[in-house]
Amino acid sequence: MRKVLPIILLLSGLSSSRLLAQEADTVLMIKLKEVQVTDTRKWQNDTARYHFNQTRYYVETILPYLNAATKVFEDIDQAVSSDVSRKEKKRLVGAKED
């Protein structure tokens, strides 16, 4: 049995003008009732269940590596984006690769 936590929706009211939207931004908060999910998932067939489990495995396994790689690429991009010589760029990328 799973419990779904109460969800708070944040909606921002936007004006037609960007200047007015920045000055008069409002936040609407709505608290929803707690919902309990008690039924188990029913699969159409074993192939659908297999694909779902494979996708979940890939997301849980690969996502941390993807986040780490994205951070490294952003660091390299920031370091290389300034006026740096070609030799210095090569040294920075090589240091990150190590």
Side-chain angles (χ1 to χ4, degrees):
M1 180 173 12
R2 294 182 180 175
K3 286 188 177 181
V4 178
L5 300 175
I7 300 171
I8 298 175
L9 297 175
L10 298 175
L11 303 172
S12 62
L14 299 174
S15 303
S16 59
S17 169
R18 287 186 184 188
L19 182 60
L20 290 176
Q22 291 175 356
E23 293 174 3
D25 194 20
T26 59
V27 176
L28 174 64
M29 293 176 49
I30 301 170
K31 186 174 180 179
L32 300 176
K33 294 179 185 177
E34 185 175 312
V35 177
Q36 292 185 0
V37 178
T38 57
D39 200 11
T40 58
R41 184 183 294 257
K42 293 180 177 70
W43 301 100
Q44 294 174 347
N45 54 35
D46 287 340
T47 306
R49 180 179 47 83
Y50 173 79
H51 287 298
F52 175 80
N53 288 331
Q54 280 296 111
T55 303
R56 186 179 64 191
Y57 171 77
Y58 290 146
V59 168
E60 290 174 352
T61 306
I62 295 172
L63 195 59
Y65 292 107
L66 176 66
N67 292 336
T70 302
K71 185 180 181 317
V72 170
F73 282 125
E74 287 173 354
D75 292 343
I76 290 173
D77 189 40
Q78 287 177 355
V80 173
S81 65
S82 60
D83 294 333
V84 180
S85 68
R86 189 173 199 188
K87 192 178 231 180
E88 185 67 20
K89 287 179 185 179
K90 201 170 192 179
R91 188 189 65 75
L92 288 169
V93 171
K96 285 290 184 179
E97 285 179 357
D98 291 341

